[in-house]
Amino acid sequence: MTVRRLEPADTDALIALGPDAAWIHASWGGPLGLASSGHGWTAANRTGRLLAIACTYFRGTRYEDIAVFTTPDQRRHRLALACVTALTADITARGHTPSWNCSTLNRASRLLAWTAGFRLVREYVHHAAGNPAQRPRLAA
């Protein structure tokens, strides 16, 4: 297993992770966008299969928010931690502050953040108004 920066040649391997992992590259416009961004790290096996990924999910002027995905069969092997550690060093070298957001109910994410050195600043509440396209039609 090797921890390294994602590169454009990893595009097919990102696609191979399937629809359950598509959210990880969505903010980069898809697999090629993330693979070419220079803002993602992976733990890959000898065959090139991506086992875990950590990337900048949202990038601001001061902060870079981190996203992490690990294939289900590789969870609890500290691969995500290795990727997060490499990514946070990268973010810091760019002069930005790494940040982490997750649901208060996402115990696995909170534990990973804590283990990687993140500390809780505040908990948040998320509100949504719904999708107007899915509202039922009123009878005339």
Side-chain angles (χ1 to χ4, degrees):
M1 191 271 311
T2 303
V3 175
R4 61 175 175 73
R5 188 182 309 273
L6 282 169
E7 51 194 42
D10 293 315
T11 301
D12 289 340
L14 282 167
I15 293 167
L17 291 172
D20 288 344
W23 65 270
I24 194 88
H25 48 69
S27 66
W28 290 99
L32 178 61
L34 174 58
S36 303
S37 72
H39 292 270
W41 284 80
T42 187
N45 68 13
R46 283 186 234 148
T47 66
R49 179 176 175 235
L50 307 184
L51 308 174
I53 299 163
C55 67
T56 297
Y57 198 63
F58 294 112
R59 185 177 54 182
T61 55
R62 292 179 51 207
Y63 294 92
E64 292 188 33
D65 200 49
I66 292 175
V68 179
F69 174 81
T70 306
T71 59
D73 63 324
Q74 295 297 317
R75 293 184 180 153
R76 297 194 178 133
H77 294 284
R78 301 179 71 89
L79 300 177
L81 178 61
C83 294
V84 168
T85 300
L87 178 61
T88 56
D90 237 12
I91 292 170
T92 302
R94 285 193 286 276
H96 289 174
T97 301
S99 65
W100 194 289
N101 284 290
C102 66
S103 165
T104 58
L105 303 176
N106 190 339
R107 186 173 188 275
S109 183
R110 291 171 68 114
L111 255 155
L112 177 56
W114 182 267
T115 303
F118 290 82
R119 296 299 177 256
L120 182 65
V121 174
R122 69 179 158 274
E123 294 190 330
Y124 65 92
V125 177
H126 184 152
H127 298 274
N131 185 341
Q134 294 179 356
R135 288 189 183 153
R137 292 184 182 198
L138 297 174

